[in-house]
Amino acid sequence: MVEPLATAGATRHQQRIDDLCAASIRALSGQAGLHFRGRRLYRDDKALPPFAPHLSPKPEVDDFGSFRGAADGMALRLRLADTELHQRLHPAEPMERMLFEMLEQFRVEALVPKDMPGMVHNLRHRFEAWSMAFYNSGLTETAKGMLLYTVAQITRSRVTAQQVVEATEDAIEATRMSIVRSLGHDLAGLRRQRFDQAAYAEHALSITSLVAGMLAAYDMEDVAGADDS
């Protein structure tokens, strides 16, 4: 079957973006052999483990700035994180592992040199685009979705010393107030220990465990509600 011209053009355009982003990641990370294949980053013939959720822009909805921001984020992760330490510490449970990966990504994004404001802008642009897509998807209409969204907002804000996404600040306020007391000590620890991956991980693991417990509690409430009905 012949590929439609519009589709073929879009595919070539996306390939150019992927090639540019891969070149940027290689240069910034100082690591060779990195390239994209099917929206996944590879080192030579080996696919790298999945990155944090906000580093997966979608060609059909996201702009070039999002791809630049995601590339910068991946480069920082490869350059500034001890992969072996991270793999040794990450939780086995999928949700906790995703949260732990996200928190480590926020750590490296907080370490951008002050003389690279363009990278700070790119990272912020990508996170805001992901945040708005998540929020507008309807996922935050559930208690679990709002909890995950709020945790992403407040942890990145605390680690990077940047404001939460302004457009959804009011929407997360109630959830933020309900969880800050439980997470407060570890939130402060994230910012304080951002230069020490192992020390930072202690607080990140505590947060992932606490949030997983909150999510499990919501599941139990859902089961109880179904039984009552």
Side-chain angles (χ1 to χ4, degrees):
M1 181 177 178
V2 177
E3 187 179 35
L5 291 178
T7 303
T11 300
R12 288 194 296 271
H13 177 67
Q14 186 57 45
Q15 186 60 53
R16 287 195 293 271
I17 291 176
D18 288 348
D19 290 345
L20 286 170
C21 288
S24 177
I25 295 170
R26 290 194 297 271
L28 291 169
S29 69
Q31 299 185 20
L34 298 170
H35 60 97
F36 283 101
R37 186 188 304 169
R39 304 302 316 131
R40 185 80 177 269
L41 187 64
Y42 280 70
R43 180 180 289 110
D44 298 323
D45 292 328
K46 184 178 181 181
L48 298 187
F51 290 86
H54 67 286
L55 298 187
S56 297
K58 295 178 173 57
E60 61 273 18
V61 296
D62 287 308
D63 61 8
F64 180 65
S66 272
F67 284 89
R68 283 294 306 273
D72 286 348
M74 292 177 191
L76 288 170
R77 179 74 172 73
L78 294 170
R79 184 181 183 89
L80 299 178
D82 182 330
T83 301
E84 290 185 3
L85 174 63
H86 183 77
Q87 291 297 319
R88 189 165 67 248
L89 294 176
H90 76 64
E93 196 277 323
M95 179 59 71
E96 291 188 44
R97 186 164 64 246
M98 181 277 290
L99 289 167
F100 187 63
E101 177 63 41
M102 184 176 68
L103 290 172
E104 176 58 16
Q105 183 63 40
F106 293 161
R107 185 185 76 85
V108 299
E109 291 184 11
L111 302 180
V112 178
K114 293 182 178 179
D115 61 352
M116 301 183 74
M119 182 180 286
V120 175
H121 170 79
N122 293 342
L123 294 168
R124 177 71 181 181
H125 176 80
R126 176 59 208 144
F127 181 72
E128 289 192 352
W130 172 83
S131 295
M132 294 310 302
F134 188 108
Y135 184 79
N136 291 328
S137 71
L139 290 172
T140 54
E141 294 175 8
T142 68
K144 292 175 66 175
M146 180 55 80
L147 173 61
L148 289 171
Y149 182 79
T150 302
V151 168
Q153 294 299 311
I154 65 175
T155 53
R156 190 181 192 279
S157 176
R158 185 62 64 94
V159 180
T160 63
Q162 296 176 11
Q163 184 181 357
V164 299
V165 173
E166 186 176 4
T168 61
E169 186 171 9
D170 290 342
I172 70 170
E173 186 59 26
T175 304
R176 173 164 54 181
M177 292 299 293
S178 71
I179 64 175
V180 161
R181 179 173 296 180
S182 298
L183 304 183
H185 169 73
D186 290 305
L187 284 173
L190 293 180
R191 175 69 181 172
R192 187 172 59 251
Q193 301 292 356
R194 66 192 184 280
F195 298 104
D196 184 334
Q197 184 177 343
Y200 178 95
E202 293 182 14
H203 297 287
L205 287 168
S206 179
I207 288 173
T208 60
S209 179
L210 286 166
V211 173
M214 295 174 189
L215 292 170
Y218 286 137
D219 287 337
M220 292 180 66
E221 290 176 4
D222 289 342
V223 171
D227 290 342
D228 290 341
S229 63

